[in-house]
Amino acid sequence: MKRVMECPQNVHFIIMECPRSGQSAYIFNFWRETQNMIIKPDNEMLSYSGRIDFDDRLAPVLVYACSSIGMKFAGTSLKAVIANHRSCWTNELGYFIDGEQKRFTLSSDEEKKTYTLAEGLSEGTHELLLFKRMDSCHTFTFYGFEIDDGAEVLPLPEKPKRKMEFFGDSVSCGEVSEAVAYVGKPDPEHDGEYSNSWYSYAWMTARKLNAQIHDTSQGGISLLDDTGWFAAPHYKGVESCYDKIEYHPDLGPTKQWDFS
């Protein structure tokens, strides 16, 4: 006869008993895999902001700084499934969980990977804002969130009615905005670690005015083509990028933005 017993640490004990003597003959134990609930990108409870490529609703691509995904959920853990597309720098995403700002480093390959954002959260509801810290030195494809099995996603507050769009260069993206030791000095040598769009004047202005933001800015870009520092040696300016959703020559073909 076989009996299955479960202990609190998700361990199963399988006890095989001899039918005649009743004594245990074998004991096995193994870890049971935890099942997570998948929150797909097209879930109506998710809140997106920014100029985002939604050609595939189950795999949206976030390109610009300040682009974000918000979610309110009940549960004790949270993961994000993402594929990064890198041009340069070490790429990081930022996020707020219950008001505390954090960040994590993305893989430099194109593979879809699962990143743990939170574990051991308290019981109850939590709010997430996942956002793009950097400009199009990278883009990423979002494949969804994972939360505890049996947890739920809850409605977020309504988005602000006011909308703002910013066109600019690195300062509008918040590049090197965390290099506080270099205020009033030349920018330090870096690998992208100081860039954080949350502290850009663009996003700070939008927050002060309670507005949604589209920050269509790019580090090194100038107003006109063949000037500035973006996309050498055939420099691109705002004049050829302002109406695009995909525009970085290292990351595939360009794609028009639908202003309607």
Side-chain angles (χ1 to χ4, degrees), residues 33-44:
E33 291 187 4
T34 301
Q35 298 296 315
N36 289 330
M37 180 184 297
I38 307 299
I39 309 302
K40 295 182 179 180
D42 63 347
N43 189 297
E44 63 182 10

Side-chain angles (χ1 to χ4, degrees), residues 74-96:
T76 61
S77 67
L78 174 65
K79 298 178 180 180
V81 184
I82 288 167
N84 189 40
H85 317 294
R86 176 183 177 273
S87 171
C88 61
W89 309 127
T90 294
N91 307 143
E92 294 184 316
L93 293 182
Y95 66 104
F96 283 86

Side-chain angles (χ1 to χ4, degrees), residues 15-229:
I15 304 175
M16 305 297 294
E17 294 182 348
C18 175
R20 292 184 178 180
S21 67
Q23 294 181 343
S24 299
Y26 301 98
I27 299 178
F28 303 94
N29 68 337
F30 61 93
W31 290 99
R32 184 182 66 185
E33 291 187 4
T34 301
Q35 298 296 315
N36 289 330
M37 180 184 297
I38 307 299
I39 309 302
K40 295 182 179 180
D42 63 347
N43 189 297
E44 63 182 10
M45 295 294 188
L46 299 184
S47 178
Y48 291 90
S49 182
R51 188 182 284 194
I52 298 171
D53 182 355
F54 282 109
D55 278 359
D56 184 346
R57 298 294 301 186
L58 293 177
V61 180
L62 281 74
V63 178
Y64 289 94
C66 303
S67 300
S68 66
I69 309 167
M71 182 176 71
K72 185 176 183 180
F73 67 100
T76 61
S77 67
L78 174 65
K79 298 178 180 180
V81 184
I82 288 167
N84 189 40
H85 317 294
R86 176 183 177 273
S87 171
C88 61
W89 309 127
T90 294
N91 307 143
E92 294 184 316
L93 293 182
Y95 66 104
F96 283 86
I97 186 79
D98 296 336
E100 181 181 357
Q101 185 174 179
K102 301 183 179 184
R103 66 187 187 183
F104 63 97
T105 302
L106 295 169
S107 171
S108 60
D109 61 38
E110 298 271 331
E111 297 297 320
K112 180 165 60 174
K113 298 185 185 301
T114 301
Y115 298 89
T116 298
L117 305 187
E119 291 180 312
L121 295 173
S122 61
E123 296 290 343
T125 60
H126 305 279
E127 284 197 26
L128 166 78
L129 181 70
L130 176 68
F131 67 93
K132 200 162 183 294
R133 286 172 57 101
M134 309 171 81
D135 64 14
S136 75
C137 61
H138 78 111
T139 65
F140 74 90
T141 304
F142 173 63
Y143 292 100
F145 293 119
E146 295 183 12
I147 60 176
D148 298 343
D149 188 31
E152 59 181 334
V153 181
L154 305 166
L156 282 165
E158 186 177 351
K159 289 182 180 180
K161 294 290 191 292
R162 182 179 290 112
K163 300 177 181 179
M164 301 182 71
E165 186 157 17
F166 295 82
F167 296 89
D169 57 7
S170 57
V171 68
S172 304
C173 302
E175 191 165 316
V176 298
S177 60
E178 291 187 339
V180 293
Y182 292 84
V183 173
K185 303 175 184 178
D187 288 347
E189 294 292 328
H190 66 91
D191 189 34
E193 67 271 21
Y194 297 119
S195 297
N196 187 351
S197 63
W198 183 258
Y199 298 121
S200 66
Y201 80 86
W203 210 348
M204 287 193 287
T205 301
R207 293 197 298 272
K208 288 288 187 181
L209 297 177
N210 190 32
Q212 298 181 53
I213 182 173
H214 279 207
D215 189 352
T216 50
S217 303
Q218 170 60 49
I221 203 168
S222 187
L223 180 61
L224 302 178
D225 291 343
D226 300 317
T227 60
W229 294 269

